[in-house]
Amino acid sequence: MQIQRVAVIGAGTMGHGIAQVAAMSGQQVRLYDVDGQVVDRAIGRVRQNLDKGVEKGKVATADRDAAVARLSGSTDLSEACAEADIVIEAVPERLDLKQDLFRKVASVVREDCVLATNTSSLSIARIARGLPHPARVVGTHFFNPVHIMQLLELVHHEGTDPAVLEAVRLWGVALGKECIVVRDSPGFATSRLGVCLGMEAIRMLEEGVASAEDIDKAMVLGYRHPVGPLRLTDLVGLDVRLHIGTYLATELKNPAFEPPRLMREMVARGELGQKTGKGFYAWPG
Ligand SMILES: NC(=O)c1ccc[n+]([C@@H]2O[C@H](COP(=O)([O-])OP(=O)(O)OC[C@H]3O[C@@H](n4cnc5c(N)ncnc54)[C@H](O)[C@@H]3O)[C@@H](O)[C@H]2O)c1
């Protein structure tokens, strides 16, 4: 099984990035969204990213032009997916939405077309449940910004066909990604470790163990993390992390993931981090 034709569903933050790296690696890419303006904007963003790459001397002009030519947009789901070897969904993080979308996709694609989800926390098995040929469902967890972040976390559920997983791993390598393979379990590897560290850092701040700056420096300088856990929580959004922490605490039955009181209070005040200008740090304009 070789993956050459790609359909990306949802042209937001992640969707446009996935489309970009696939087009740059030589694949034909269809980018679909319910909103036509979003599709146009997403293709514009890909173009801008590649233009920047050209300016910096990292992308050859001919490669940019070829990638842009391989990428096309659509607001017709059947037409966008009909020829695809893999369909990757990057729609909002809601189980019902993803299930409903894959049901529609499954009715128009070949039965060996891979159905991949970019979910950062939902169960792959639950997304696959009830679909025809659930063995072709796999998690492809990319990171933001997709064209810069090296990691691709591949998540298989119990019934994922090993041949599908291997084809997707090879595809990930062709995109220039470093792949890790993780069993379908709450938070996979990345969110489980990252959120656990973030929650503990907030508890330490709450207990007055050290300032936010010094807690972050502990991990940056002491453990060579590129960014401290509190600053990272600001970048991701406290509301997003609160949601994931609550989910993981329940699913893993582990209070270490329980969002601390300080975090709940900050979210209630609208201090969500970078996107609202204030979190553990100030984020001016
Ligand atoms: N943003 C991140 O840093 C990040 C990182 C890793 C994984 N993820 C995951 O990726 C997925 C997408 O996140 P995002 O940040 O790109 O979201 P986003 O809100 O930026 O984009 C979602 C897009 O999906 C579209 N959409 C909504 N319903 C749709 C439907 N039924 N059919 C087609 N398109 C539809 C919206 O118009 C929007 O353009 C989520 O599952 C999220 O958890 C996000």
Side-chain angles (χ1 to χ4, degrees):
M1 178 193 288
Q2 226 196 341
I3 296 174
Q4 279 164 337
R5 282 162 303 184
V6 179
V8 180
I9 310 300
T13 308
M14 299 305 289
H16 90 277
I18 297 167
Q20 176 178 330
V21 294
M24 270 302 281
S25 79
Q27 290 151 16
Q28 294 295 328
V29 183
R30 305 301 315 270
L31 181 57
Y32 165 89
D33 202 285
V34 279
D35 184 337
Q37 284 184 340
V38 172
V39 175
D40 293 342
R41 254 202 321 268
I43 291 179
R45 281 171 85 181
V46 170
R47 171 93 210 193
Q48 265 176 9
N49 291 342
L50 294 176
D51 284 348
K52 261 191 218 155
V54 170
E55 274 165 34
K56 288 183 182 164
K58 290 183 176 170
V59 176
T61 313
D63 291 345
R64 173 200 61 193
D65 294 345
V68 170
R70 282 189 288 266
L71 173 63
S72 58
S74 176
T75 52
D76 179 331
L77 187 64
S78 314
E79 184 246 353
C81 298
E83 303 285 310
D85 301 315
I86 186 169
V87 174
I88 306 151
E89 72 75 18
V91 302
E93 189 77 336
R94 275 184 25 222
L95 182 63
D96 58 338
L97 186 63
K98 292 182 190 286
Q99 284 174 327
D100 183 51
L101 180 74
F102 272 159
R103 261 195 299 273
K104 288 185 189 143
V105 170
S107 69
V108 295
V109 295
R110 294 190 318 269
E111 61 179 50
D112 65 346
C113 171
V114 176
L115 304 183
T117 168
N118 193 51
T119 180
S120 34
S121 62
L122 298 171
S123 156
I124 309 302
R126 269 182 232 167
I127 292 174
R129 196 173 294 159
L131 290 176
H133 312 292
R136 61 185 165 160
V137 180
V138 68
T140 48
H141 185 196
F142 287 88
F143 291 78
N144 183 28
V146 180
H147 64 289
I148 291 173
M149 299 293 279
Q150 252 199 308
L151 182 65
L152 174 56
E153 184 175 41
L154 300 176
V155 187
H156 62 95
H157 66 92
E158 253 185 16
T160 301
D161 181 346
V164 168
L165 185 62
E166 180 57 10
V168 176
R169 193 189 65 76
L170 289 173
W171 174 72
V173 171
L175 300 189
K177 299 300 172 198
E178 190 79 42
C179 298
I180 59 169
V181 176
V182 179
R183 178 171 67 78
D184 187 19
S185 57
F188 315 138
T190 48
S191 303
R192 186 162 168 175
L193 284 171
V195 171
C196 191
L197 188 65
M199 293 303 172
E200 199 54 32
I202 300 169
R203 254 188 294 278
M204 287 165 64
L205 185 65
E206 192 177 271
E207 291 169 14
V209 172
S211 66
E213 288 80 0
D214 283 356
I215 291 171
D216 276 350
K217 262 189 206 163
M219 299 316 290
V220 172
L221 300 181
Y223 283 76
R224 291 198 183 188
H225 287 200
V227 56
L230 296 170
R231 185 174 290 277
L232 185 61
T233 304
D234 268 4
L235 292 172
V236 174
L238 272 75
D239 53 336
V240 175
R241 280 236 157 150
L242 187 142
H243 178 75
I244 302 175
T246 307
Y247 170 78
L248 291 179
T250 311
E251 292 287 319
L252 294 166
K253 298 184 181 54
N254 184 344
F257 292 95
E258 206 64 69
R261 179 184 46 79
L262 173 64
M263 185 183 214
R264 294 188 184 281
E265 288 171 356
M266 289 174 72
V267 170
R269 285 199 297 269
E271 295 170 12
L272 307 183
Q274 185 185 36
K275 62 186 165 189
T276 59
K278 187 166 170 24
F280 299 107
Y281 295 87
W283 297 89

